[in-house]
Amino acid sequence: MLKKIKILPDNIANKIAAGEVVQRPESVVKELLENSIDAEAKNIELFVRRAGKVLIQVVDDGTGMNKEDALICLERHATSKIDTFDDLNRLQTYGFRGEALSSIAAVSIFELKTERKEDEIGTLIRIAEDGQIKLEKGSFAKGTSIAVKNLFFNTPARRHFLKSNATELKHIIETFKKIALCNSKIHFKMWNDDDLIFDFDSGEFEDRMKAIFADNILDAVIEVKEITDYISVKGFVAKPTFVMNNKGVQYLYINNRYVISRTVNHAVFSAYENILAKGDYPFFVLMLTIDPKKIDVNVHPAKLEVKFDDEKDIYSFIRAVVKKSLGHYDHVPSMTFDTSVENKERLRFNSFNKTGKNDFSDRPNLNNVHGNFDRKSVFSEDEIDLLFGSMNKEIKSTSSPSNLTHPFDGNYSKEVYHSTMSTEETTHKGSNSSFIVLLHNKYILSQIKSGLMIIDQHVAHERILYEKALKSMSSNMPFSQQLLFSQKVHVDPADYELLKELENHLNNLGFEIKFLNKNTIVINGVPPDVKVGLEVNTLLDILNEYRKNQRQKGLDVKDNIAKSYSCKAAIKAGDKISEHEMRLLVDQLFATSMPYVCPHGRPIVIKIPLEELDKRFGRT
Ligand code: ADP
Ligand code: MG
């Protein structure tokens, strides 16, 4: 009887294995770059033609290989990086499977040139279309150059499934940047066809961030750093005002390897709880260092997914660290008037891919910010001279006027000051004398230690009401202001339906609504913050806003109601408020979890540092 089982010849086995390791040109780029880094290269150049379909070449100045190694590295499971299974627990290199080069060579026309520093002569290996290996000697540059031509020429099905050049190139660029980002000490260049498209000089991690994202990226992010015996994290997370609605811009590295972890992503997002609109995802770059014993990178040849031994601990750790960084951070944009730097301050993402998705200007929030201050303001946070905590105290302080110098002492100023105060409040002025004034019924100006603080009254109130609403809806203990005269309202059928749908939540928020027949409702009570006389309008406004917000993906019902309510019930720009109300507003604002950004991501507070004023008045 004929034997049915046989061992596959190497060339077929390699071709099959290649399917696992090499999915597209980008996979080749990743494997070659990682090999160069493992070989301790200081300079690495990537050349790509026709999105890698015609040529992918990586040239490095690393250790190189001698002739024997050069020959064996093309064999399957040939690796210099581990000897025993235990070595996996001490892994310091990207590679360890010894599968990449054999796989790549099986599906391309392959050329390897390599020469070690200590050798006079180098090695050239060519694998031709027919699989014939040609070995030559020669004098080459120190290091290794690997050229991969006509990828998938012998696996037409694979080649057929490649995407357009634009798409494949985009993948290559993303991988190139992911790898370059976490290896800032290495000088990387990338050539596309004949153009040098990236040139990342070696430097610090921060320099690489700038080169890859934007020159002023550091103005848009908050540093995260926590080192423990067990796990360490460092990196940057977006300031709440610079959040992109884009899931593609989270960079997580574990032990310097780019990975995807839903655990970590979720931990970061949850740290932004109540700060971000649901559906917004903060940009972040985080580098985790953890004992290799505690993780398993050997999950897939692409090595993207990581498993942690202690998912829960990692989750709480990341969440706590990010929360702390967000909390410690002075979120208040500083405003300066130096017009000479205005252009620098537009946060413009370096083109990351042709779709331009990663440009911060995409975000509606940022546009808002720009719309308001573009021409005159600089949002640089270079001097975080005071943590907002101290500022907070100062505002609240009513008993120690000694350290609060009144900015205007002349009669003129008193006039300005008094004009916003009712007479009865004036009598309290002695004891409650920190400077506070309303500008154009829109902005509250107040003195702080480092200068002047400006608060947008509408968004401040919005933040306060938003958090109140969320609390009230989750506690099921609504406060409701009973109306003296119940209001009977005819609503259109669509509103009637929506009201019914949201009835429970609206009740918890403080609305007491009775549903009569024929699209008629009766309002018996409203949340205490709804203005007298505007009960009906406010309720209908909330419905409209709710519908508008529904278009936003991922927004849950409660959050939407809280947002709609806070937006519609808050005092408006143009509403005149008393000094007492101003102080109340400021106090309540700083009692919220995030006083600096409104639920939509717009800034609530900005400050003008005293130094800036001094500079303008020539006092420097
Ligand atoms: P792995 O990286 O998993 O070890 P590879 O197939 O990618 O497997 O590479 C096989 C071996 O070839 C490596 O272990 C290394 O010794 C050698 N090698 C590959 N690329 C380079 C390079 N650029 N410089 C020096 N040695 C290299
Ligand atoms: Mg490798």
Side-chain angles (χ1 to χ4, degrees):
M1 202 172 134
L2 222 62
K3 196 164 62 134
K4 279 195 204 149
I5 301 177
K6 55 187 173 289
I7 305 279
L8 289 173
D10 262 1
N11 61 339
I12 298 180
N14 281 340
K15 258 192 183 179
I16 293 170
E20 280 268 288
V21 182
V22 192
Q23 277 113 29
R24 57 194 335 163
E26 172 270 329
S27 340
V28 175
V29 168
K30 173 174 183 287
E31 296 296 337
L32 296 185
L33 290 177
E34 290 187 343
N35 278 348
S36 296
I37 297 168
D38 284 345
E40 291 159 23
K42 291 281 152 273
N43 293 279
I44 300 175
E45 290 190 54
L46 166 66
F47 298 83
V48 163
R49 280 190 189 280
R50 300 282 300 279
K53 294 172 186 174
V54 168
L55 172 77
I56 298 163
Q57 183 173 17
V58 170
V59 180
D60 70 49
D61 62 352
T63 55
M65 288 175 267
N66 64 16
K67 190 179 107 189
E68 287 69 34
D69 282 345
L71 274 169
I72 202 168
C73 81
L74 299 173
E75 303 278 336
R76 215 138 55 93
H77 309 305
T79 182
S80 57
K81 296 167 193 175
I82 58 171
D83 289 320
T84 66
F85 189 73
D86 247 17
D87 288 346
L88 278 177
N89 287 336
R90 298 181 274 274
L91 205 61
Q92 298 285 336
T93 54
Y94 287 114
F96 60 86
R97 290 169 164 266
E99 289 182 325
L101 292 187
S102 57
S103 303
I104 294 167
V107 290
S108 67
I109 295 163
F110 188 90
E111 188 183 283
L112 161 70
K113 256 188 261 176
T114 185
E115 184 172 321
R116 303 191 305 174
K117 288 186 187 70
E118 56 267 45
D119 294 340
E120 300 269 283
I121 205 104
T123 308
L124 168 69
I125 294 174
R126 269 205 195 97
I127 304 180
E129 271 181 54
D130 56 6
Q132 289 299 313
I133 299 183
K134 243 172 83 185
L135 180 72
E136 282 172 33
K137 281 183 196 160
S139 181
F140 309 119
K142 302 289 180 191
T144 303
S145 158
I146 292 177
V148 175
K149 292 177 194 161
N150 295 352
L151 187 65
F152 300 136
F153 78 96
N154 53 357
T155 48
R158 283 249 155 207
R159 190 157 180 101
H160 182 72
F161 277 108
L162 289 181
K163 298 269 165 26
S164 70
N165 286 358
T167 303
E168 295 298 342
L169 185 64
K170 194 184 110 190
H171 287 294
I172 291 175
I173 290 175
E174 272 169 16
T175 290
F176 177 77
K177 289 192 170 183
K178 278 171 191 162
I179 291 175
L181 183 57
C182 67
N183 288 288
S184 66
K185 298 284 192 257
I186 300 173
H187 185 174
F188 284 92
K189 283 186 188 170
M190 174 171 171
W191 302 79
N192 178 42
D193 293 328
D194 287 312
D195 303 327
L196 176 63
I197 58 171
F198 297 112
D199 187 352
F200 301 146
D201 246 327
S202 66
E204 297 305 317
F205 176 56
E206 282 81 358
D207 302 320
R208 192 53 57 89
M209 288 269 295
K210 289 187 209 165
I212 288 183
F213 298 115
D215 285 341
N216 51 358
I217 183 72
L218 297 177
D219 293 337
V221 292
I222 302 168
E223 192 178 6
V224 173
K225 196 171 176 185
E226 191 75 36
I227 295 164
T228 75
D229 290 344
Y230 168 62
I231 177 173
S232 297
V233 59
K234 61 175 205 150
F236 297 93
V237 297
K239 287 179 188 172
T241 33
F242 290 99
V243 167
M244 285 172 289
N245 204 335
N246 182 343
K247 292 196 188 196
V249 282
Q250 284 88 37
Y251 292 82
L252 173 66
Y253 298 86
I254 296 182
N255 299 343
N256 232 32
R257 187 191 293 279
Y258 178 87
V259 294
I260 292 167
S261 159
R262 293 179 47 149
T263 305
V264 172
N265 280 6
H266 195 271
V268 176
F269 301 155
S270 78
Y272 280 81
E273 202 173 33
N274 290 341
I275 298 178
L276 293 184
K278 293 251 168 69
D280 276 351
Y281 291 91
F283 166 88
F284 68 72
V285 179
L286 291 177
M287 312 280 200
L288 255 67
T289 313
I290 183 168
D291 184 344
K293 273 201 219 83
K294 303 278 186 187
I295 52 171
D296 187 1
V297 287
N298 195 9
V299 184
H300 187 269
K303 291 168 268 185
L304 270 183
E305 295 275 348
V306 163
K307 273 203 206 133
F308 298 103
D309 286 359
D310 328 284
E311 293 275 333
K312 266 204 186 130
D313 291 348
I314 304 273
Y315 183 90
S316 354
F317 175 78
I318 299 288
R319 185 183 142 96
V321 172
V322 174
K323 253 199 140 105
K324 188 172 118 191
S325 309
L326 287 169
H328 276 351
Y329 188 75
D330 178 1
H331 293 274
V332 184
S334 256
M335 187 152 103
T336 61
F337 300 102
D338 188 348
T339 47
S340 66
V341 290
E342 69 184 62
N343 287 328
K344 280 207 310 223
E345 286 307 318
R346 267 226 185 95
L347 192 65
R348 191 129 293 221
F349 256 62
N350 300 337
S351 63
F352 185 78
N353 52 45
K354 288 276 157 18
T355 62
K357 250 197 215 144
N358 294 287
D359 190 323
F360 274 153
S361 61
D362 263 9
R363 288 184 325 104
N365 295 347
L366 185 74
N367 290 342
N368 265 337
V369 173
H370 278 168
N372 290 341
F373 309 114
D374 203 18
R375 240 132 273 121
K376 299 196 244 118
S377 65
V378 170
F379 289 83
S380 80
E381 300 269 355
D382 33 336
E383 36 84 72
I384 306 169
D385 60 321
L386 78 169
L387 281 178
F388 224 72
S390 60
M391 173 168 147
N392 188 359
K393 252 181 268 141
E394 194 177 37
I395 297 157
K396 284 183 178 163
S397 134
T398 49
S399 52
S400 56
S402 53
N403 59 5
L404 300 169
T405 42
H406 208 289
F408 300 136
D409 280 319
N411 289 329
Y412 168 72
S413 66
K414 283 213 178 93
E415 219 170 275
V416 177
Y417 191 45
H418 287 177
S419 67
T420 62
M421 295 165 69
S422 69
T423 34
E424 115 201 35
E425 279 159 350
T426 319
T427 53
H428 293 302
K429 197 190 145 237
S431 61
N432 188 12
S433 63
S434 67
F435 164 72
I436 193 161
V437 73
L438 189 63
L439 189 72
H440 292 289
N441 295 334
K442 227 189 206 172
Y443 298 113
I444 300 168
L445 310 193
S446 178
Q447 176 185 314
I448 53 169
K449 219 205 254 106
S450 65
L452 176 69
M453 171 176 76
I454 308 174
I455 296 176
D456 180 323
Q457 66 178 31
H458 168 68
V459 286
H461 200 206
E462 205 177 340
R463 164 58 66 186
I464 296 164
L465 294 183
Y466 171 70
E467 293 197 5
K468 258 198 197 172
L470 282 180
K471 231 190 241 148
S472 152
M473 279 189 285
S474 58
S475 70
N476 290 332
M477 284 222 312
F479 284 100
S480 185
Q481 181 102 34
Q482 297 300 308
L483 298 188
L484 220 45
F485 303 101
S486 299
Q487 303 228 29
K488 198 168 170 181
V489 194
H490 291 283
V491 292
D492 67 43
D495 281 352
Y496 190 86
E497 279 313 307
L498 185 58
L499 279 168
K500 275 207 126 153
E501 194 184 313
L502 303 179
E503 184 182 1
N504 252 336
H505 296 304
L506 290 172
N507 279 345
N508 286 336
L509 189 59
F511 283 101
E512 278 180 28
I513 302 168
K514 236 174 63 206
F515 291 85
L516 305 182
N517 291 333
K518 289 208 173 157
N519 300 327
T520 308
I521 59 161
V522 178
I523 306 178
N524 289 320
V526 295
D529 289 295
V530 172
K531 280 216 196 82
V532 181
L534 293 179
E535 296 86 359
V536 178
N537 284 344
T538 307
L539 185 62
L540 296 179
D541 283 351
I542 292 172
L543 292 186
N544 283 335
E545 186 72 13
Y546 182 89
R547 281 206 189 87
K548 231 167 66 193
N549 290 344
Q550 266 183 325
R551 277 174 233 142
Q552 211 178 307
K553 268 186 255 128
L555 192 64
D556 75 38
V557 176
K558 273 193 207 170
D559 201 48
N560 190 349
I561 293 178
K563 274 208 185 98
S564 308
Y565 165 73
S566 60
C567 174
K568 292 308 172 188
I571 48 169
K572 305 262 172 319
D575 289 349
K576 185 165 174 172
I577 56 173
S578 69
E579 189 201 344
H580 177 67
E581 288 170 319
M582 278 191 262
R583 290 191 191 281
L584 212 62
L585 194 73
V586 174
D587 279 359
Q588 289 181 358
L589 174 66
F590 287 103
T592 63
S593 71
M594 180 32 74
Y596 316 112
V597 196
C598 86
H600 303 99
R602 265 161 63 191
I604 297 174
V605 187
I606 57 174
K607 67 180 181 199
I608 303 178
L610 212 52
E611 300 95 89
E612 181 57 31
L613 293 173
D614 288 346
K615 212 159 74 199
R616 298 299 292 182
F617 287 105
R619 280 182 179 276
T620 41

